[in-house]
């Protein structure tokens, strides 16, 4: 259930309709409330209050009509400007970053304010009467409509400032990096402590005898990206049915129809009900999300860096900014305890073998493509080695430092081959020596 709620909230929060719809319902309820209060308030008292609308029905209609017409027009302009910003961001930084713009709460609230103001004024406008024998002017409701209009002007000023700042390279990268750090905190919440780190022996990792020969696969019935997996649901299923489940796909992987999702042992307990419950723990979609996929946000930063290093854009400084954020990511991950892929029930029996993303995979996702596409940029290669030097001092695990040493050697090899000037080769060698010393002496 928790995974289902997380995936549902991700879909709702990254849309342009959810927040405006909620605000529109609130505005509708508020209009009925103010209209009801107007039926209780005495008209003479309302005119004497001073701060309430005191005009006649024609003036009330004119004010409400003006506010409603102008706000719905501005809402269309806001939406058009937003689409233009999305188009520019997609062409400059990559289509995968559109999700970050769709998830921008500021733009969602601005759209919601204008739609809510229009809807409120429209609903109040229908209660104004001045032609019949009885004249009805909802003084409090008209006053609230004016306040809504003034508030809309304030949000329009905010939006004019928000749009150009939201497409700045630094703002975009900072937003993606902030989401990446939140994903790390959610997936790896525990700080690494060598003294308390459980030492798993080979026997604790050993699968049941003849698991590979006897385990039966469970295949997917749909195609798409795996957005999330209910690990807790799978663990409960395995404990209840006395099974051992080995997962063959992780969040972020693309699973085609009839591809293997997991393997179940023993085979005689694999019923149709068990298979359906296992499939129900996998949540598919048309694109990747950062719910359980830490490499997704990393790939967003890498995509911006790779695009910046392309001959068509040739913007190494943006790539360097991405490298700085990726270095901060490696430091943050290196200081956290990576969850074990082996999950046990309350009795200590092995029930689930997950396909976890470790530091090796995260470092490869962060560094490999930038190294491959940026080998000809000496400045980028030197900065990569410098970032590795700074990360080395913050890594408590020797195996993580060994992983980065392999990346540093690959960076040095590719950069030296691509460098044409002896001075550039000397700078690369010096940066590599500093990184090597930091990794071996940390």
């Amino acid at each position: 259930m928790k995974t289902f709620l997380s995936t549902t909230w991700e879909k709702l929060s990254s849309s342009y309709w959810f927040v405006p719809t909620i605000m529109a319902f609130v505005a509708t309820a508020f209009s009925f409330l103010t209209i009801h209060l107007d039926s209780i308030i005495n008209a003479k008292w309302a005119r004497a209050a001073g701060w309430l609308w005191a005009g006649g029905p024609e003036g009330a209609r004119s004010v409400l009509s003006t506010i409603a017409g102008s706000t719905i027009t501005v809402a269309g302009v806001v939406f058009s400007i937003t689409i233009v910003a999305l188009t520019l961001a997609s062409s400059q930084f990559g289509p995968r970053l559109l999700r970050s713009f769709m998830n921008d709460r500021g733009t969602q609230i601005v759209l919601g304010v204008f739609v809510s103001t229009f809807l409120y004024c429209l609903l109040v406008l229908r209660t104004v009467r001045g032609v019949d024998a009885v004249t009805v002017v909802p003084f409090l409701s008209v006053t609230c409509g004016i306040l809504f209009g003034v508030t809309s002007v304030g949000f329009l000023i905010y939006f004019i400032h928000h749009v150009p700042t939201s497409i700045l390279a630094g703002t975009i990268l900072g937003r993606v990096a902030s989401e990446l750090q939140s994903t790390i905190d959610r997936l790896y919440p525990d700080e690494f402590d060598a003294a308390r780190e459980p030492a798993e022996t080979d026997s604790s990792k050993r699968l049941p005898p003849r698991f590979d020969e006897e385990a039966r696969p469970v295949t997917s019935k749909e195609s798409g990206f795996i957005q999330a997996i209910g690990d807790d649901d799978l663990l409960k299923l395995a404990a209840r049915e006395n099974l051992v489940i080995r997962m063959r796909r992780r969040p972020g992987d693309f699973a085609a129809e009839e591809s293997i999702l997991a393997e179940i042992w023993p085979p005689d307990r694999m019923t149709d009900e068990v298979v359906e419950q296992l499939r129900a723990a996998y949540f598919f979609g048309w694109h990747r999300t950062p719910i359980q996929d830490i490499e997704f946000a990393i790939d967003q930063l890498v995509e911006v860096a790779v695009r910046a290093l392309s001959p068509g854009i040739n913007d190494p400084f943006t790539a360097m900014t991405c490298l700085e954020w990726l270095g901060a990511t490696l430091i943050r991950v290196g200081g956290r305890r990576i969850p074990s892929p082996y999950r046990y029930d309350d009795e200590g029996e092995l029930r689930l073998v997950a396909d976890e993303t470790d530091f090796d995979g995260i470092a490869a996702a962060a560094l490999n493509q930038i190294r491959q596409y940026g080998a000809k940029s000496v400045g980028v290669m030197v900065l990569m080695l410098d970032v590795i030097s700074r990360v080395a001092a913050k890594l408590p695990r020797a195996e993580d430092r060994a992983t980065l040493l392999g990346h540093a050697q690959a960076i040095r090899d590719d950069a030296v081959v691509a460098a044409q000037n002896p001075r550039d080769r000397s700078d690369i060698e010096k940066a590599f020596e500093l990184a090597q010393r930091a990794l071996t002496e940390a």
Side-chain angles (χ1 to χ4, degrees):
M1 178 59 70
K2 182 179 179 180
T3 308
F4 171 76
L5 294 177
S6 298
T7 54
T8 303
W9 176 248
E10 167 66 23
K11 294 177 181 179
L12 293 177
S13 62
S14 59
S15 65
Y16 277 156
W17 66 267
F18 180 66
V19 172
T21 300
I22 296 298
M23 296 180 69
F25 277 114
V26 173
T28 301
F30 187 69
S31 68
F32 287 116
L33 175 63
T34 55
I35 291 172
H36 176 68
L37 292 177
D38 274 311
S39 65
I40 300 175
I41 297 175
N42 185 279
K44 294 181 179 179
W45 180 88
R47 291 190 177 94
W51 55 271
L52 292 177
W53 169 264
E58 293 299 328
R61 288 196 191 96
S62 177
V63 169
L64 293 175
S65 300
T66 301
I67 296 174
S70 59
T71 52
I72 197 63
T73 302
V74 175
V77 174
V78 167
F79 183 75
S80 301
I81 295 175
T82 303
I83 296 301
V84 172
L86 291 177
T87 304
L88 292 175
S90 176
S91 60
Q92 183 73 18
F93 301 106
R96 269 156 292 278
L97 285 178
L98 290 183
R99 181 196 157 276
S100 177
F101 283 89
M102 296 287 291
N103 202 26
D104 183 12
R105 197 70 68 208
T107 302
Q108 295 175 4
I109 292 176
V110 168
L111 288 172
V113 166
F114 285 108
V115 172
S116 300
T117 301
F118 166 76
L119 187 60
Y120 176 86
C121 293
L122 191 66
L123 293 175
V124 174
L125 186 62
R126 66 184 177 85
T127 64
V128 180
R129 297 189 184 94
V131 179
D132 301 333
V134 179
T135 300
V136 177
V137 179
F139 300 100
L140 178 62
S141 301
V142 175
T143 303
C144 292
I146 296 174
L147 293 177
F148 273 120
V150 174
T151 303
S152 299
V153 173
F155 275 92
L156 178 61
I157 296 173
Y158 161 78
F159 183 74
I160 293 173
H161 167 76
H162 179 69
V163 170
T165 57
S166 65
I167 60 177
L168 291 175
T171 303
I172 294 174
L173 297 179
R175 184 188 302 159
V176 175
S178 177
E179 184 181 54
L180 174 56
Q181 293 174 356
S182 299
T183 303
I184 294 172
D185 294 340
R186 185 177 64 254
L187 298 180
Y188 309 136
D190 300 328
E191 296 288 340
F192 176 80
D193 188 352
R196 298 182 179 180
E197 189 70 10
E200 291 187 326
T201 62
D202 292 339
S203 60
S204 68
K205 296 183 178 181
R206 190 175 300 135
L207 290 169
R210 300 184 60 81
F211 181 93
D212 293 331
E213 294 81 5
E214 297 178 356
R216 296 181 59 183
V218 177
T219 58
S220 173
K221 289 303 180 183
E222 57 182 313
S223 299
F225 287 98
I226 300 176
Q227 296 182 338
I229 301 176
D231 293 355
D232 294 338
D233 297 334
L234 291 178
L235 184 60
K236 293 178 181 178
L237 173 64
R240 184 175 65 250
E241 302 294 336
N242 194 19
L243 301 171
V244 177
I245 301 175
R246 180 168 66 182
M247 300 163 60
R248 300 296 298 272
R249 292 288 189 276
R250 69 176 65 171
D253 290 346
F254 184 87
E257 189 175 357
E258 298 301 328
S259 61
I260 298 176
L261 297 177
E263 295 172 334
I264 292 180
W265 184 92
D268 57 343
R269 297 194 183 100
M270 182 177 172
T271 63
D272 293 339
E273 182 181 359
V274 169
V275 171
E276 291 302 320
Q277 292 182 16
L278 188 146
R279 288 172 177 161
Y282 287 75
F283 295 86
F284 289 82
W286 292 345
H287 53 81
R288 297 166 64 184
T289 64
I291 300 175
Q292 296 179 357
D293 183 11
I294 188 175
E295 294 184 10
F296 173 71
I298 294 177
D299 290 344
Q300 287 183 304
L301 289 174
V302 171
E303 180 183 16
V304 175
V306 170
R307 279 176 169 264
L309 292 172
S310 64
I313 298 178
N314 194 21
D315 182 14
F317 293 101
T318 297
M320 292 178 180
T321 304
C322 295
L323 282 172
E324 297 288 1
W325 283 116
L326 291 172
T329 299
L330 294 178
I331 293 175
R332 202 177 191 91
V333 174
R336 301 301 175 92
R337 186 178 69 85
I338 305 297
S340 171
Y342 301 93
R343 315 291 169 78
Y344 301 87
D345 59 14
D346 296 336
E347 284 73 29
E349 295 291 333
L350 178 63
R351 293 302 180 189
L352 184 66
V353 181
D355 188 5
E356 290 287 346
T357 302
D358 54 9
F359 184 87
D360 192 3
I362 294 173
L367 300 176
N368 278 347
Q369 290 197 52
I370 299 179
R371 170 180 58 82
Q372 294 163 2
Y373 286 93
K376 295 182 179 180
S377 178
V378 177
V380 172
M381 295 295 100
V382 170
L383 180 62
M384 288 186 73
L385 294 171
D386 181 61
V387 168
I388 290 177
S389 301
R390 283 178 275 155
V391 173
K394 304 294 184 180
L395 297 181
R397 289 183 286 260
E399 57 270 24
D400 295 345
R401 295 194 294 271
T403 296
L404 287 188
L405 181 58
H407 284 283
Q409 292 171 342
I411 294 169
R412 188 271 310 268
D413 295 340
D414 289 354
V416 169
V417 171
Q420 301 295 326
N421 192 293
R423 187 169 184 174
D424 292 339
R425 296 194 192 101
S426 176
D427 292 339
I428 295 169
E429 292 291 351
K430 290 178 181 178
F432 172 72
E433 290 175 3
L434 291 175
Q436 187 179 34
R437 187 180 306 118
L439 291 167
T440 54
E441 297 179 357

